[in-house]
Amino acid sequence: MRNEVFGTCPVCGNQLLATRLTCTRCHTEITGEFALSRFSYLNRDELQFVETFIQVQGNIKEMEKEFNISYPTVKKMLDTIITKMGFPVKQEAEPAVRADDVLSRLQQGEISAEEAIALLKK
């Protein structure tokens, strides 16, 4: 069984660099400095999150269901992964208010009816 490639040093957390590649068929070896894929720098949970995101074609509502998490948690995880992969995170002016989130918070007693009405009017 082969080990999975990982992109961060288990000692200091710095990015790792591949220095040797070997062909499994003819056993040719190439040495040098090879960059790893941006995906190599994600841990298993983050990679599973990305794989699921691709599988559901970027549907955040489906991500909420798959991982049993809220919209803000999905967005936060996406932002963390985007940053870890070296891309800039686009800042949103103000997140859109979703009626089902407001109603859920109201039902759970997190907000009052007046607060719910105010949020839904946005």
Side-chain angles (χ1 to χ4, degrees), residues 12-25:
C12 71
N14 194 32
Q15 290 185 350
L16 293 174
L17 181 68
T19 57
R20 184 168 65 185
L21 301 173
T22 305
C23 176
T24 58
R25 183 172 173 213

Side-chain angles (χ1 to χ4, degrees), residues 36-47:
L36 297 174
S37 160
R38 293 177 192 256
F39 293 101
S40 297
Y41 301 112
L42 302 179
N43 65 38
R44 288 177 194 251
D45 292 338
E46 292 164 339
L47 192 54

Side-chain angles (χ1 to χ4, degrees), residues 99-113 115-116 120:
D100 56 339
D101 288 339
V102 173
L103 295 175
S104 175
R105 290 178 61 199
L106 176 63
Q107 185 178 22
Q108 294 174 5
E110 295 176 9
I111 58 174
S112 68
E115 289 171 311
L120 291 170

Side-chain angles (χ1 to χ4, degrees), residues 17-73:
L17 181 68
T19 57
R20 184 168 65 185
L21 301 173
T22 305
C23 176
T24 58
R25 183 172 173 213
C26 70
H27 305 291
T28 296
E29 289 189 0
I30 303 169
T31 59
E33 292 185 356
F34 307 99
L36 297 174
S37 160
R38 293 177 192 256
F39 293 101
S40 297
Y41 301 112
L42 302 179
N43 65 38
R44 288 177 194 251
D45 292 338
E46 292 164 339
L47 192 54
Q48 180 187 10
F49 189 87
V50 171
E51 289 170 350
T52 304
F53 189 75
I54 292 168
Q55 184 181 11
V56 300
Q57 299 178 335
N59 185 316
I60 292 182
K61 196 128 182 105
E62 287 297 316
M63 292 296 288
E64 292 176 90
K65 290 178 188 174
E66 287 286 328
F67 290 95
N68 195 28
I69 55 177
S70 67
Y71 174 86
T73 304

